């Protein structure tokens, strides 16, 4: 799941099918941010650091390619 957006009390997570799930923010680990990749872990979630970093790198490369086309 990917953290789509965060509010003070809720987190909105996007699953692989594109559906959005609203969960209490306290179920997420401290320091979570929008764009992080999460793995369900019992009652809460944990950040998949490797997948999150790979996703950020992919998005950074995509943005760089788009900027070159302009």
């Amino acid at each position: 799941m990917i953290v789509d957006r965060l509010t003070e009390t809720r987190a909105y997570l996007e699953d692989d099918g594109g559906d959005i799930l609203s969960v209490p923010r306290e179920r997420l680990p401290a320091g979570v941010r929008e764009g992080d990749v999460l793995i369900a872990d019992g009652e809460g979630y944990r950040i998949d650091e490797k997948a999150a970093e790979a996703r950020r790198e992919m998005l950074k490369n995509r943005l760089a390619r788009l900027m070159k086309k302009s």
Side-chain angles (χ1 to χ4, degrees):
M1 303 194 121
I2 297 172
V3 180
D4 181 63
R5 68 186 182 279
L6 298 168
T7 68
E8 196 170 308
T9 59
R10 307 294 297 173
Y12 297 89
L13 311 178
E14 183 177 347
D15 67 15
D16 292 338
D19 294 323
I20 301 292
L21 173 68
S22 173
V23 299
R25 186 145 180 191
E26 65 263 10
R27 290 185 57 199
L28 276 57
V32 70
R33 50 191 187 156
E34 293 174 355
D36 278 346
V37 179
L38 301 177
I39 298 173
D41 188 12
E43 292 292 316
Y45 297 87
R46 63 181 170 85
I47 299 172
D48 184 337
E49 297 287 349
K50 189 174 181 179
E53 184 57 36
R55 185 171 185 279
R56 281 189 196 90
E57 188 66 25
M58 183 261 314
L59 291 172
K60 185 174 99 178
N61 291 338
R62 183 181 294 170
L63 180 59
R65 284 193 314 270
L66 288 172
M67 297 303 285
K68 282 183 182 178
K69 290 182 180 181
S70 316

